[in-house]
Amino acid sequence: MNEEEVQAQLESMLRFPGFIRLSEDNVANVKKVIGIDELNRVAFFPDSVKGRVGVKVANEHWDNFIKEYNSRQK
């Protein structure tokens, strides 16, 4: 898959409710977040092997991520 195809796939994911951009190369479902580290701007997601995995949220996407994280329905 080339870069253009990857970006097109990421953009298509953003059309679904709950999906948000974490960085230029990462889109995730904010409803799956199990915790955050606000100081380091990391979102934690469940992982079947490690228990959880942290994903760095880019500075330019942090405000939007926090807004969505705080407004999500549990």
Side-chain angles (χ1 to χ4, degrees):
M1 201 178 262
N2 66 33
E3 182 64 27
E4 188 175 292
E5 292 171 327
V6 169
Q7 289 305 319
Q9 186 174 16
L10 291 175
E11 289 299 322
S12 71
M13 290 172 67
L14 291 171
R15 294 185 197 127
F16 293 99
F19 281 82
I20 190 163
R21 187 174 290 281
L22 301 180
S23 67
E24 289 305 312
D25 299 334
N26 204 336
V27 171
N29 187 340
V30 74
K31 294 177 183 177
K32 301 286 183 184
V33 175
I34 59 173
I36 60 172
D37 175 350
E38 290 191 54
L39 181 62
N40 295 307
R41 297 187 171 188
V42 174
F44 294 100
F45 295 87
D47 182 83
S48 61
V49 176
K50 298 178 182 177
R52 72 178 190 171
V53 63
V55 177
K56 177 81 170 140
V57 179
N59 291 338
E60 61 268 20
H61 300 291
W62 180 254
D63 290 338
N64 194 38
F65 166 76
I66 285 296
K67 183 177 105 185
E68 290 294 322
Y69 176 78
N70 288 332
S71 70
R72 68 187 182 161
Q73 294 188 3
K74 296 190 177 203

